Amino acid sequence: MWNRVETYIRKEGLLSREGLHLVALSGGADSVALLRILLDMGYRVEAAHCNFHLRGEESNRDEQFVKNLCLNHDIPIHLIHFDTTEYASLHQVSIEMAARELRYRYFDQLRQDIGAETVCVAHHSDDAVETFLMNLLRGSGIHGLTGIRPRNGYIIRPLLCVSRQDILQYLDSIGQIYVTDSTNLVDDVLRNKIRLRLIPMLDEMSPGASDNIARTATYLSEAEKVYNAFCSTWCRTRGLSPLCAVHEAQGDSPLRATEGNVSPLSLPISDLKDFPSPLCLLYEWLLPLGFNRTQIEQLLVSLDGSSGSKEFTSPTHTLVIDRDRLVVEAVSEPMHPVSIPETGNYRTSDGCLLKVESSSDVIVSKTPDCATVDLSKVQFPLTLRPVREGDAFCPFGMTGHRLVSDYLTDLKLSVLEKRRQLVITDATGTILWLVGHRTDNRFRVTNDTNNILRLTLI
């Protein structure tokens, strides 16, 4: 086992000899084996233990055990206590999720505080098999069937090359004791049911089933590299690289919208249909943005005809079918109307700056972010607000009224862009400026204009 772990660490480039490494130490067999083997290999390590206070005296027993273990081997240890139940209630998450969030947030901060290069956790090949089966039962694409990665940022897993049985045999060979978490022996959650019931049944039906599943996950992990490389190349050739961001769980995907990006991100429908598997591409793009599988399948049906919804929403994003493309935009708070009683500088709720200036220097602006109108025709107060249904204006240089929505449609703006469109109106409610596009002809600057009002939104 010692040789296998050393070879695995070197192959995956997980640990440096010079750096400091933090070991997540629960006191159970896996984490104790990880600490002992890294120590025996000569790596410089410190330990971190979290007491979640979920198992009464057993939690305190675990803490005392790891303290004694580290004392006996002269290893610095960092201890922290959490009120996990209170955190779960406050954030409305499960106890398991609360413990995970608290644990990894603490590890990250501690790693930075002590200057550690990595946080070492004791997942082994059996854990990878359990994760594979959990994702398979829940329904998963290729990313969910690749098991557990040896590295995820600063989190590393040096024991993925060995099994639980290997670990127990190693501890027995060196005479090292450990503690047992009693909750792992109760099949009350899915992972425990898989560990205690499903995997033993599979091994009974087909000896070596666990090893074969682990091997399959490794094969899929290699296939995923090919898949990701193909997706990345395909997207780059179509100018879709701005959609890249980190996959929510692991690895990179070429169709990931950047979190907080308000500008629409689009995908031509013709490009989508050219992809070998449009459904697969939509899964890659939209699942991490909160859209569910049913929505994605309905979307694909909608693209094949006039029936079906043209708009889909997730908790964080909105997608619309807009002419010949799919447009996705992060949900943002609508801009609150801004009242403008006089000239001056005004800050909008989304952080933009509106400059309202009067001048006797009659120069007409020719840039889209600035408009000039005849001051004598304007009645204060003005209002900067999002466009509303039924808004109409007289576009500069034209006669007659036009609905703003029709005007924007002629400009081939998407539905989402039209919703974000701003207008500035005067005290009568008349639109002075369709922001970024055109002023109203009734407020145009003429040869008789003596003073102008300059409106600049930046």
Side-chain angles (χ1 to χ4, degrees):
M1 175 171 160
W2 196 98
N3 290 330
R4 288 164 61 190
V5 173
E6 183 181 44
T7 300
Y8 187 73
I9 289 173
R10 186 168 57 251
K11 171 178 171 289
E12 300 293 341
L14 299 181
L15 294 162
S16 69
R17 288 290 178 182
E18 302 77 20
L20 173 64
H21 305 284
L22 187 65
V23 176
L25 183 63
S26 68
D30 306 336
S31 65
V32 170
L34 176 61
L35 180 70
R36 286 298 307 270
I37 201 166
L38 293 183
L39 190 64
D40 291 346
M41 287 179 175
Y43 289 102
R44 190 158 61 97
V45 298
E46 296 186 11
H49 176 78
C50 302
N51 189 333
F52 296 105
H53 291 282
L54 294 174
R55 294 177 285 119
E57 280 305 310
E58 193 174 285
S59 294
N60 297 328
R61 175 210 64 182
D62 293 355
E63 179 179 326
Q64 189 59 50
F65 172 82
V66 299
K67 287 166 66 176
N68 293 337
L69 176 64
C70 290
L71 179 63
N72 292 338
H73 293 277
D74 195 25
I75 302 170
I77 183 167
H78 307 270
L79 301 168
I80 191 168
H81 292 244
F82 292 118
D83 187 340
T84 314
T85 303
E86 178 63 24
Y87 180 93
S89 175
L90 182 64
H91 293 84
Q92 296 184 329
V93 295
S94 67
I95 291 293
E96 292 77 12
M97 182 58 68
R100 175 184 172 82
E101 291 179 4
L102 289 168
R103 175 168 62 248
Y104 283 106
R105 189 177 302 158
Y106 169 64
F107 290 159
D108 185 28
Q109 186 61 58
L110 178 59
R111 175 187 64 87
Q112 296 178 58
D113 290 344
I114 67 174
E117 290 183 359
T118 63
V119 175
C120 308
V121 294
H123 292 120
H124 47 74
S125 62
D126 290 15
D127 293 316
V129 171
E130 291 167 13
T131 299
F132 178 96
L133 291 172
M134 284 178 65
N135 291 337
L136 183 65
L137 293 173
R138 290 169 173 168
S140 174
I142 188 171
H143 296 304
L145 299 180
T146 55
I148 303 174
R149 294 181 182 273
R151 176 185 290 274
N152 183 7
Y154 62 86
I155 302 292
I156 65 167
R157 303 177 175 93
L159 299 186
L160 280 179
C161 60
V162 297
S163 68
R164 169 77 171 181
Q165 188 60 37
D166 293 329
I167 288 171
L168 295 178
Q169 289 175 355
Y170 166 73
L171 293 174
D172 183 62
S173 71
I174 63 173
Q176 175 63 61
I177 62 171
Y178 52 89
V179 294
T180 300
D181 181 343
S182 61
T183 61
N184 289 334
L185 304 177
V186 181
D187 60 351
D188 57 342
V189 295
L190 180 58
R191 182 175 289 275
N192 284 3
K193 290 176 181 177
I194 290 173
R195 177 187 302 134
L196 300 174
R197 295 163 59 183
L198 179 57
I199 291 178
M201 182 179 69
L202 292 174
D203 283 330
E204 181 181 348
M205 293 171 58
S206 176
S210 295
D211 291 339
N212 291 334
I213 292 172
R215 194 174 299 113
T216 299
T218 300
Y219 294 156
L220 287 172
S221 182
E222 294 302 310
E224 182 191 33
K225 295 176 184 177
V226 178
Y227 168 85
N228 285 343
F230 172 79
C231 288
S232 295
T233 301
W234 186 89
C235 290
R236 278 198 304 271
T237 60
R238 289 160 175 77
L240 297 178
S241 55
L243 300 178
C244 292
V246 177
H247 187 274
E248 62 171 351
Q250 50 193 358
D252 293 332
S253 175
L255 285 179
R256 218 45 93 225
T258 304
E259 185 177 356
N261 191 342
V262 176
S263 299
L265 301 172
S266 65
L267 176 66
I269 293 174
S270 60
D271 283 351
L272 173 65
K273 291 184 175 180
D274 283 344
F275 193 78
S277 172
L279 183 62
C280 176
L281 186 61
L282 290 176
Y283 279 153
E284 283 297 295
W285 186 15
L286 301 177
L287 281 175
L289 303 184
F291 296 94
N292 60 48
R293 287 173 171 77
T294 300
Q295 288 176 308
I296 293 171
E297 291 163 4
Q298 289 174 346
L299 167 61
L300 198 59
V301 171
S302 298
L303 297 180
D304 292 332
S306 58
S307 62
S309 175
K310 300 297 183 183
E311 182 171 334
F312 301 84
T313 59
S314 79
T316 57
H317 289 77
T318 298
L319 179 149
V320 296
I321 303 174
D322 193 82
R323 302 181 185 87
D324 61 349
R325 65 184 50 240
L326 304 179
V327 182
V328 176
E329 182 179 293
V331 174
S332 60
E333 288 292 327
M335 195 206 79
H336 300 298
V338 178
S339 179
I340 307 163
E342 58 187 5
T343 57
N345 294 333
Y346 298 85
R347 185 69 66 178
T348 66
S349 60
D350 58 359
C352 294
L353 177 65
L354 175 66
K355 293 184 176 182
V356 183
E357 307 163 292
S358 61
S359 175
S360 58
D361 189 7
V362 182
I363 300 177
V364 177
S365 170
K366 295 183 180 180
T367 60
D369 62 348
C370 180
T372 46
V373 296
D374 190 324
L375 180 60
S376 66
K377 300 173 183 177
V378 176
Q379 296 183 44
F380 280 89
L382 310 182
T383 301
L384 172 67
R385 61 168 175 81
V387 68
R388 296 171 183 163
E389 187 176 353
D391 274 344
F393 77 130
C394 298
F396 178 82
M398 300 175 65
T399 58
H401 289 73
R402 288 211 67 191
L403 286 173
V404 169
S405 59
D406 291 343
Y407 184 85
L408 296 177
T409 296
D410 290 345
L411 294 179
K412 300 189 183 303
L413 297 188
S414 72
V415 172
L416 298 177
E417 289 172 314
K418 287 194 273 189
R419 288 178 188 170
R420 293 201 317 276
Q421 179 62 50
L422 301 177
V423 297
I424 294 182
T425 63
D426 73 352
T428 67
T430 305
I431 294 177
L432 304 176
W433 183 29
L434 184 63
V435 176
H437 297 289
R438 217 159 188 172
T439 56
D440 190 290
N441 197 57
R442 289 165 291 184
F443 299 90
R444 69 186 183 279
V445 175
T446 67
N447 292 333
D448 297 326
T449 300
N450 295 316
N451 295 285
I452 61 168
L453 185 68
R454 182 179 295 107
L455 305 164
T456 308
L457 185 63
I458 55 179

